[in-house]
Amino acid sequence: MSAGRIGAPAYVGTVGEEVWWVEPRPEEDGRMVLVRSRPDRPALALLPSPWDVRSRVIEYGGRPWAAAAGDRGVLVVFVNLADQRLYAYEPDVDGAEPRPLTPLSPVGGGLRWAEPEIDLGRGEVRCVLEEFTGDGPLDVRRVLAAVPLDGAAAEDRSAVRELCDDRRRFVSGPRYSPDGSRAVWLAWDHPHMPWDAAELVIADVAEDGRLHRARTLIGGPGDPVAQAEWLPGGGLLVASERTGWWNLYRVDPGTGDAVALHPAEEEFAGPQRLGLRWFVPLPDGRVAVLHGVGPQRPAVLDAATGELTEIPGERSEWLPFLAASGTRVVGIAASPSQGYAVVEIDATTGRSRVLSEQRDGVDPEVLPEPVERVVTAPDGRQIHAQVYPPRNAAFRAPEGELPPYVVWVHGGPTARAPLALNLEIAYFTSRGIGVVEVNHGGSTGYGRAYRERLREQWGVVDVEDCAAVARALADEGSAAPGRLAIRGGSAGGFTAAASLVSTDVYACATIQCPVLDLQDFASGETHDFESRYLDALIGPPAEVPERYRDRSPTSHPDRFTVPFLILQGTDDVICPPAQCERFLARMAGQDVPHAYLTFQGEGHGFRRQDTMVTCLEAELSLYGQVWH
């Protein structure tokens, strides 16, 4: 239940000396473009509008493209958002246009694809296939599959070869051994989420390319696997959380025996979703990694000795999208004063260079300077937060007047607010409104014990942690006590709404694409991936139905006493508009000022520039009216 990070590049990869990635274009109806960067040439966006390179597998998608060097230049295979078909494209061939590789399906959500890998030797592209078998959100199956590059499957579903018969509901991260004889992938099933129970499955590759003798190597409940990569010598490098931290292990592919390479109370991976990559092996036996507590930074790990060598740099927040070519490592990074950029690192010298960076033209004198804080709650537990005081060199607050503050709650809730430049935050801090991002109990990046504070406690621990941070700012004299607000999207929208139900801390709230009715959410009103998420966050529905009722904001319209703003996309299938509509119908008899803005064509997380502008202006208007 995360609205997603839509302002950053994603899914970086390499083709020889070239670097490729996708990045958003809010000014072009929010489409994602495929970008190619070649040595000594400016980065170039391929595929004009309306092409939109984005997968909808599990609705959040995954890596939507792959490329390989062929006889006629680079061959690209990508997923187009509108029809979710795979297309092949040769940008180096004059006059070439994308050609479809997969068919349409009239059933439910159709055929969807993610994590493609091109195999020129077999003349096919291997993918994760998500296929709807009916019209309901749970009528779906997923499997590893191969699609011929000659287009034979464009009209004929039978030309798609399914590679394995794993019956688990979710698969991701397929990786083939250097000699092509074995493959591994991650698999899990309801009611678990991948960060709770993903297993590493290994199989032999038959002569026809099918995967047989599939068996679990390691992983499962209590020992979830986040990522696995083959090492050059044929062993496996695996991220496991068996000690309570995502650490790296060398795993014997025959026995499953695991040896920790660098045991530490810090994270070398995180919650797994399709296409994320925290580490990548290098050809000389070293491994480029991301690691840390909270923000993750790059380093090089010697797989033989376990020695970790930090890579210095100004950008301290790296997204899990690493790729490598030789000893060149590419990733996506930001800092509190710099937006996300595609960065290349020489793993031998440590030198880095920026390949692509969005220039926003904002005066640095109006950008906030965040402070990392650890706040102690009344019961003694520690809460991580990032405080952004108001800042604008051109203005000064009246003498003795404390600023208002807005508590920002991240989505997920199994996620974390990144410590990176955010121009939405700057929009408010430059206007005299402070922001504090709360990485409440349940957030990632601080070990399993911190994350599992939210187990069966969603709507309690998150609400209490946000309130504790807000009160701490007021008590220490940083924020005006009567001028506090809360805002959140998706899971954060639930926390914001639940906070109005059970606390008196806030003067108003902004709630985007929220969960408001836990009972209906758990009864088939969301997508398949998160349809059993609440088993862990609230408890099994059949065992604790009263929790679902009592913690649902929709159940307590009489407890809403302060103004609020709800922002909702009409095409949201994760937190659908029906949630908001039922809640507002129950609010009809309450004399509480509120507004409900819907945006046609927007889904879970807004992508269009005009939508983003409207939302920011509406939110600022709310605060102006409440705090006038």
Side-chain angles (χ1 to χ4, degrees):
M1 290 166 282
S2 173
R5 184 181 297 108
I6 61 174
Y11 304 116
V12 66
T14 60
V15 184
E17 294 295 307
E18 301 181 5
V19 180
W20 295 60
W21 64 89
V22 295
E23 65 183 34
R25 290 284 192 271
E27 70 280 8
E28 298 180 29
D29 285 335
R31 75 186 185 99
M32 298 291 288
V33 300
L34 185 61
V35 180
R36 179 185 195 181
S37 175
R38 290 183 275 186
D40 304 320
R41 299 190 193 184
L44 176 66
L46 305 178
L47 301 169
S49 180
W51 295 106
D52 192 341
V53 183
R54 181 154 57 98
S55 168
R56 285 189 59 189
V57 169
I58 70 168
E59 294 303 341
Y60 292 114
R63 182 169 50 80
W65 71 273
D71 294 338
R72 304 198 301 173
V74 173
L75 170 67
V76 185
V77 173
F78 68 92
V79 180
N80 184 49
L81 175 66
D83 56 15
Q84 286 299 287
R85 300 174 83 179
L86 276 177
Y87 286 81
Y89 176 48
E90 296 177 286
D92 298 321
V93 176
D94 289 343
E97 295 289 337
R99 53 184 178 82
L101 296 180
T102 56
L104 294 169
S105 170
V107 180
L111 301 174
R112 300 176 178 180
W113 311 85
E115 299 196 298
E117 292 291 343
I118 297 172
D119 186 335
L120 292 176
R122 290 187 180 273
E124 61 188 17
V125 54
R126 298 185 293 263
C127 307
V128 172
L129 163 62
E130 179 178 77
E131 180 174 21
F132 280 78
T133 58
D135 293 329
L138 308 186
D139 298 330
V140 63
R141 60 189 292 270
R142 298 172 189 89
V143 69
L144 302 180
V147 176
L149 290 170
D150 62 9
E155 302 296 335
D156 183 2
R157 166 67 177 83
S158 66
V160 175
R161 295 192 311 126
E162 296 189 4
L163 299 178
C164 66
D165 59 357
D166 195 319
R167 299 304 179 189
R168 277 161 290 198
R169 198 168 186 92
F170 299 96
V171 294
S172 73
R175 300 285 190 271
Y176 281 68
S177 62
D179 64 5
S181 65
R182 288 180 288 190
V184 295
W185 64 91
L186 305 186
W188 67 97
D189 210 338
H190 286 325
H192 301 296
M193 299 302 288
W195 45 85
D196 294 321
E199 301 175 4
L200 181 64
V201 178
I202 189 168
D204 299 327
V205 180
E207 287 188 10
D208 64 357
R210 297 183 188 274
L211 306 174
H212 63 105
R213 295 186 61 240
R215 63 270 188 200
T216 296
L217 191 61
I218 63 169
D223 182 22
V225 174
Q227 183 188 338
E229 303 288 344
W230 290 94
L231 293 166
L236 283 163
L237 186 62
V238 177
S240 165
E241 202 191 27
R242 58 181 55 185
T243 65
W245 296 86
W246 295 106
N247 278 192
L248 298 184
Y249 297 81
R250 184 194 298 274
V251 175
D252 186 315
T255 65
D257 293 339
V259 177
L261 295 186
H262 186 88
E265 290 190 349
E266 60 176 329
E267 307 282 38
F268 284 78
Q272 192 268 140
R273 284 210 311 234
L274 279 74
L276 304 187
R277 205 174 192 185
W278 289 267
F279 57 90
V280 57
L282 305 176
D284 58 8
R286 297 179 299 159
V287 184
V289 303
L290 300 178
H291 73 112
V293 177
Q296 291 181 308
R297 57 194 183 277
V300 174
L301 176 67
D302 188 318
T305 66
E307 181 181 358
L308 192 69
T309 303
E310 301 288 345
I311 297 176
E314 297 178 349
R315 298 176 190 266
S316 54
E317 182 79 57
W318 286 67
L319 300 181
F321 297 119
L322 286 188
S325 177
T327 59
R328 295 165 49 243
V329 180
V330 186
I332 296 166
S335 75
S337 60
Q338 299 169 304
Y340 285 104
V342 180
V343 180
E344 180 184 272
I345 296 172
D346 186 314
T348 300
T349 65
R351 288 193 295 267
S352 65
R353 65 187 182 106
V354 173
L355 300 183
S356 178
E357 182 176 25
Q358 291 184 336
R359 301 290 183 178
D360 48 55
V362 176
D363 183 352
E365 293 298 315
V366 303
L367 296 179
E369 297 177 342
V371 178
E372 293 184 83
R373 295 281 301 275
V374 178
V375 174
T376 302
D379 67 355
R381 70 176 182 255
Q382 293 188 323
I383 308 161
H384 294 273
Q386 295 153 190
V387 181
Y388 295 79
R391 182 171 185 246
N392 190 327
F395 297 92
R396 177 175 295 180
E399 190 69 28
E401 183 172 328
L402 294 177
Y405 260 81
V406 183
V407 173
W408 280 34
V409 194
H410 61 70
T414 311
R416 180 183 65 84
L419 191 62
L421 177 63
N422 184 327
L423 293 183
E424 287 193 5
I425 291 178
Y427 178 83
F428 295 104
T429 57
S430 65
R431 288 161 171 81
I433 300 172
V435 170
V436 55
E437 293 183 303
V438 180
N439 286 313
H440 54 72
S443 300
T444 59
Y446 308 100
R448 182 195 293 163
Y450 193 87
R451 187 179 81 235
E452 292 202 338
R453 287 184 190 177
L454 210 59
R455 183 167 291 275
E456 298 195 5
Q457 293 296 309
W458 195 36
V460 179
V461 166
D462 49 326
V463 169
E464 292 175 351
D465 285 2
C466 289
V469 171
R471 289 191 180 106
L473 291 178
D475 291 346
E476 72 186 23
S478 297
R483 304 173 76 191
L484 299 170
I486 187 167
R487 71 105 84 164
S490 190
F494 167 79
T495 301
S499 295
L500 297 192
V501 169
S502 56
T503 77
D504 60 0
V505 174
Y506 309 106
C508 58
T510 300
I511 302 165
Q512 178 181 324
C513 50
V515 179
L516 295 172
D517 187 331
L518 298 173
Q519 294 163 298
D520 284 343
F521 187 91
S523 301
E525 199 173 59
T526 189
H527 64 143
D528 183 53
F529 176 61
E530 290 173 318
S531 62
R532 299 294 301 274
Y533 201 173
L534 300 193
D535 283 43
L537 294 174
I538 305 294
E543 297 178 17
V544 290
E546 70 284 352
R547 286 186 198 165
Y548 284 75
R549 180 186 64 251
D550 294 345
R551 294 188 197 172
S552 292
T554 300
S555 299
H556 307 288
D558 56 310
R559 298 186 190 176
F560 284 80
T561 60
V562 300
F564 60 86
L565 167 67
I566 298 182
L567 308 167
Q568 177 69 49
T570 60
D571 293 354
D572 190 343
V573 298
I574 296 173
C575 297
Q579 292 255 324
C580 295
E581 292 160 5
R582 285 195 302 274
F583 167 69
L584 292 172
R586 295 191 181 188
M587 285 294 303
Q590 308 297 314
D591 187 20
V592 177
H594 63 271
Y596 178 47
L597 302 183
T598 60
F599 300 92
Q600 295 293 323
E602 291 280 19
H604 197 64
F606 304 146
R607 297 178 175 274
R608 297 173 178 169
Q609 182 172 280
D610 56 348
T611 301
M612 298 177 194
V613 170
T614 298
C615 290
L616 287 173
E617 291 177 344
E619 186 175 352
L620 183 63
S621 175
L622 170 68
Y623 302 148
Q625 293 176 68
V626 172
W627 294 330
H628 58 79

